[in-house]
Amino acid sequence: QALMTYEDRLILPEATPGSEPSWFGFPITVREGAGITRDAIVAHLEANRVKTRLLFGGDLTRQPAYEGVPMRIHDDLRNAERIMTSTFWVGIYPGLDRAMLDYTAATIGSALG
């Protein structure tokens, strides 16, 4: 909820109806036209001791392990590309207290300006 202020610049995760996810990370995607890149946000977070991770491999067809492997590609994979270039995770776990969560949200906010 603390990041909902930035929904015009960030795509935030949502639980699907009827689900009760056990979040181990909070994936955030920077919207096109947000005026800042994922890499700039990640650099700001890391500089302020908020650890991040990129979202897995992104477009797996571009990973070296798949070079030369026959595959069938459906559509243009633009969402995989977008995730690969614009999404990052902020780790979460039950030991984070309100002050830690507020600090993470505030640090994301300060990156966005």
Side-chain angles (χ1 to χ4, degrees):
Q1 289 180 338
L3 295 176
M4 289 179 73
T5 303
Y6 309 109
E7 280 190 303
D8 60 327
R9 299 170 75 187
L10 303 174
I11 299 171
L12 304 173
E14 295 179 31
T16 56
S19 70
E20 293 183 32
S22 177
W23 302 101
F24 65 90
F26 196 76
I28 300 170
T29 301
V30 181
R31 291 186 186 276
E32 292 179 27
I36 190 168
T37 65
R38 175 205 56 198
D39 293 343
I41 295 171
V42 165
H44 180 79
L45 291 169
E46 294 284 339
N48 287 282
R49 301 176 61 207
V50 176
K51 297 300 175 191
T52 65
R53 296 289 181 269
L54 300 184
L55 185 62
F56 306 116
D59 180 353
L60 294 180
T61 65
R62 293 182 48 197
Q63 298 300 322
Y66 291 92
E67 188 174 313
V69 174
M71 62 185 80
R72 182 176 62 96
I73 299 174
H74 179 72
D75 211 353
D76 62 10
L77 304 177
R78 71 177 163 259
N79 288 330
E81 176 72 23
R82 181 120 186 275
I83 288 168
M84 192 167 71
T85 60
S86 301
T87 300
F88 66 98
W89 291 84
V90 174
I92 54 176
Y93 74 103
L96 295 176
D97 61 24
R98 175 56 50 197
M100 294 171 177
L101 294 170
D102 289 345
Y103 177 78
T104 299
T107 305
I108 291 170
S110 68
L112 293 170

